[in-house]
Amino acid sequence: MSAQNTAQRMITTRFSRKIWNPVRKAVNDYQLILPGDRIAVCISGGKDSLLLACTLVMLQKISDIPFTVIGLSMDPGYTSESRAQIEKNIEKLGLETTWYTTRLFETVNQEKDNPCFMCSRLRRGSLYAKALELGCNKIALGHHFDDVVETTLMSMIYGGQVQTMLPKIRAKNYPGMQVIRPLYLVREKDILAWRDMCELECLACSCEFAAKAKQENHPESSKRYEIKQLIARLEQDNNQVAKNIFNSVKNINVDDILGWHKGKERHTFLEDYADEN
């Protein structure tokens, strides 16, 4: 059996409970895919995007909903070695993608204060524009369950608000374009297990800031990594911690919070408290 068939087959067999079923549940529960959708799957070379592409290609084959999957890969200024590794993984998994080149790393490398934020914003905008050019109405990103949980906790600890990463959003400034996250219910540890079973050599970030951090022997120094480590420590005593954080933003009781807002419209618990008198 080819490496391509093995990798795809494992998703529906060995990893059916941990990957295949959660993906199908997310797609159904959050209505991520509708008839006629043309979905750009952003393949960046990391484990998440590679799994996402494989999964959606398989789902397209068996789904009762007709939709189209288009692989999309941006070269933001990769080294020749990094680009070759990404292409090797894509070929190994039997995927197809449309490559296009930008000077994103060159631009971001000039930013000293918050390069990761700028990179994410510029990358997303570029992908929106290219996806629209290819006639797509949705972009699928590889954010998983742990990303959602970490974002939720980060927003509370560092942002002073209750906010999470939604399974789908409308793209600002790009009418008609939506972002969907089919791996929304998949745990990162299971993605790592699939990657290792497939013997894939996946890339993390390839910008100069990541390279410098690696040279200085502290490759992980972000706030997100700190939160990831915190959750891992808590789960050693209670394996429901991540699930509870996730569920907390599904079960908010507005009667028991100090305040809330939708857009610029703000409310406080005092509004209902005064009415009871």
Side-chain angles (χ1 to χ4, degrees):
M1 184 179 294
S2 68
Q4 169 191 349
N5 291 334
T6 299
Q8 294 186 5
R9 181 177 175 81
M10 282 195 299
I11 294 174
T12 58
T13 55
R14 189 183 187 95
F15 293 95
S16 62
R17 187 168 64 89
K18 298 293 188 178
I19 294 177
W20 185 240
N21 292 345
V23 167
R24 297 186 69 178
K25 179 175 173 58
V27 168
N28 292 330
D29 288 359
Y30 302 121
Q31 300 176 16
L32 302 185
I33 299 176
L34 299 176
D37 279 344
R38 187 174 172 88
I39 304 171
V41 184
C42 301
I43 306 175
S44 65
K47 67 185 189 310
D48 307 326
S49 65
L50 289 170
L51 173 62
L52 174 63
C54 282
T55 304
L56 285 188
V57 166
M58 295 177 64
L59 186 61
Q60 181 187 23
K61 295 176 181 178
I62 62 95
S63 177
D64 293 332
I65 299 174
F67 68 96
T68 303
V69 177
I70 304 292
L72 181 59
S73 297
M74 179 209 302
D75 185 338
Y78 290 131
T79 63
S80 57
E81 293 80 7
S82 294
R83 171 74 179 255
Q85 184 59 56
I86 296 173
E87 292 176 334
K88 180 181 178 180
N89 286 335
I90 290 173
E91 181 179 0
K92 182 175 182 178
L93 294 173
L95 301 171
E96 297 181 0
T97 193
T98 297
W99 280 96
Y100 74 103
T101 302
T102 71
R103 300 172 67 179
L104 188 145
F105 279 175
E106 182 179 327
T107 300
V108 172
N109 288 344
Q110 300 174 25
E111 173 65 30
K112 303 303 179 183
D113 294 332
N114 199 343
C116 294
F117 174 79
M118 174 176 282
C119 182
S120 176
R121 182 169 59 85
L122 294 179
R123 184 188 294 269
R124 190 74 59 84
S126 177
L127 290 169
Y128 288 160
K130 190 64 178 180
L132 284 172
E133 182 182 316
L134 295 174
C136 298
N137 66 312
K138 291 181 179 177
I139 284 182
L141 299 181
H143 297 119
H144 48 69
F145 182 89
D146 295 78
D147 289 325
V148 179
V149 171
E150 291 157 15
T151 298
T152 303
L153 198 54
M154 284 179 67
S155 74
M156 296 175 66
I157 294 177
Y158 298 115
Q161 60 184 334
V162 177
Q163 181 175 312
T164 193
M165 180 184 289
L166 295 175
K168 64 179 180 181
I169 58 172
R170 291 185 176 86
K172 294 180 180 179
N173 304 319
Y174 293 87
M177 178 62 67
Q178 294 184 50
V179 174
I180 61 173
R181 299 180 168 107
L183 300 183
Y184 199 76
L185 302 178
V186 179
R187 293 299 304 257
E188 184 175 27
K189 63 183 179 182
D190 297 316
I191 301 176
L192 289 168
W194 174 82
R195 178 203 64 185
D196 294 343
M197 290 293 294
C198 296
E199 299 181 344
L200 296 172
E201 296 181 20
C202 299
L203 297 180
C205 185
S206 301
C207 72
E208 72 173 32
F209 297 100
K212 181 179 179 181
K214 187 174 182 179
Q215 290 175 354
E216 294 174 353
N217 202 31
H218 54 85
E220 296 285 5
S221 58
S222 67
K223 294 300 182 185
R224 180 171 290 275
Y225 181 72
E226 292 177 9
I227 293 294
K228 184 186 291 290
Q229 294 298 98
L230 171 60
I231 294 172
R233 289 198 300 272
L234 293 173
E235 285 202 306
Q236 290 177 0
D237 296 323
N238 180 357
N239 62 10
Q240 297 299 307
V241 164
K243 291 182 180 179
N244 288 340
I245 295 172
F246 181 87
N247 287 333
S248 71
V249 289
K250 294 198 303 181
N251 299 313
I252 295 175
N253 184 347
V254 294
D255 290 331
D256 294 324
I257 58 175
L258 288 172
W260 61 278
H261 70 90
K262 184 175 179 63
K264 295 182 179 180
E265 182 181 314
R266 293 186 173 273
H267 301 270
T268 171
F269 82 100
L270 290 173
E271 295 173 7
D272 290 336
Y273 192 85
D275 290 342
E276 292 178 1
N277 294 326

